[in-house]
Amino acid sequence: ILNVEQSPQSLHVQEGDSTNFTCSFPSSNFYALHWYRWETAKSPEALFVMTLNGDEKKKGRISATLNTKEGYSYLYIKGSQPEDSATYLCAFRDYGQNFVFGPGTRLSVLP
Amino acid sequence: ETGVTQTPRHLVMGMTNKKSLKCEQHLGHNAMYWYKQSAKKPLELMFVYSLEERVENNSVPSRFSPECPNSSHLFLHLHTLQPEDSALYLCASSQGERDSKETQYFGPGTRLLVL
């Protein structure tokens, strides 16, 4: 069974703070790493798909990095806003076509 | 309507009932997925259909029966469920084949309660 972990489990920050969290995944047989944002009562929304070691992706104030050799990805949010409050999920895919989600990091941005 | 829609949004059923969940995607995608999220657990992939053929079944009990009549519609037929099957059931679709790197687009989910 593949293990995908995310830390921290939950996070509270003040509006304007920058924050980051981690997704850890198996370092062997890597194919792709997905990041999703899931707001309460809405559908999960795709943020990034990352495939190459050293990849960096950016979407507005949100960016992500990928290290496939050591099996981790960081998600950064610069200048957090209350609308960034959501659960952030990563999902790991390997060449065996396994697709496993992490448990998520729940972010609350306080105004 | 655009995106991925699911009906019903909420469902309460007894253990002897038979019900179906419906998913429809309006994105022209070729692959569709069923996920389950139980309380305090990660999303679990249940079934994958690519070009209307089932390509993955992750050891899901036979009381869950998927059906994909065409590339736009996906059903999950439920019968003799157990209380532990109460969960949020999410549908998703993606453009390409199962082993592509394509982003998945999710529906809003069906919240199921089995009494």
Side-chain angles (χ1 to χ4, degrees), chain B residues 43-100:
Chain B
L43 277 171
E44 299 172 61
L45 182 62
M46 299 175 72
F47 300 105
V48 182
Y49 277 82
S50 179
L51 296 173
E52 302 156 39
E53 289 190 16
R54 190 191 305 181
V55 296
E56 187 160 333
N57 172 358
N58 282 355
S59 303
V60 178
S62 60
R63 56 186 184 269
F64 295 92
S65 175
E67 178 190 2
C68 187
N70 56 61
S71 61
S72 298
H73 293 87
L74 185 65
F75 294 90
L76 188 63
H77 303 299
L78 317 170
H79 64 98
T80 59
L81 293 193
Q82 304 298 310
E84 59 264 30
D85 297 321
S86 299
L88 179 69
Y89 290 85
L90 285 167
C91 172
S93 69
S94 65
Q95 176 68 45
E97 295 289 339
R98 171 66 177 88
D99 59 351
S100 75

Side-chain angles (χ1 to χ4, degrees), chain A residues 31 34 36 38 43-44 46 49 51 89 93 97 99 101-103, chain B residues 35 37 42 56 88 90 98-104 106-108:
Chain A
Y31 187 77
H34 297 242
Y36 288 86
W38 194 359
S43 310
V49 180
T51 57
L89 301 171
R93 176 170 287 170
Q97 297 190 7
F99 190 60
F101 275 84
Chain B
Y35 288 89
Q37 188 181 42
E56 187 160 333
L88 179 69
L90 285 167
R98 171 66 177 88
D99 59 351
S100 75
K101 300 179 176 68
E102 298 288 343
T103 295
Q104 293 182 26
F106 284 83

Side-chain angles (χ1 to χ4, degrees), chain A:
Chain A
I1 298 176
L2 297 177
N3 193 30
V4 178
E5 298 179 348
Q6 291 188 247
S7 62
Q9 184 177 359
S10 64
L11 190 57
H12 297 262
V13 301
Q14 290 293 136
E15 182 175 356
D17 288 350
S18 294
T19 187
N20 65 86
F21 20 92
T22 307
C23 172
S24 301
F25 50 84
S27 56
S28 60
N29 220 18
F30 176 88
Y31 187 77
L33 193 283
H34 297 242
W35 279 102
Y36 288 86
R37 174 170 61 200
W38 194 359
E39 295 179 64
T40 302
K42 293 188 178 180
S43 310
E45 174 196 355
L47 291 174
F48 306 114
V49 180
M50 308 180 79
T51 57
L52 299 175
N53 185 44
D55 250 358
E56 290 189 28
K57 300 270 186 173
K58 188 174 182 181
K59 185 177 182 179
R61 293 179 291 98
I62 303 176
S63 60
T65 61
L66 178 68
N67 184 323
T68 61
K69 296 186 186 304
E70 296 182 38
Y72 64 84
S73 176
Y74 293 138
L75 189 80
Y76 301 90
I77 302 178
K78 184 178 178 181
S80 302
Q81 300 297 309
E83 57 265 31
D84 296 327
S85 297
T87 296
Y88 290 82
L89 301 171
C90 66
F92 165 80
R93 176 170 287 170
D94 67 9
Y95 275 95
Q97 297 190 7
N98 293 298
F99 190 60
V100 179
F101 275 84
T105 292
R106 183 184 294 273
L107 174 67
S108 296
V109 182
L110 307 174

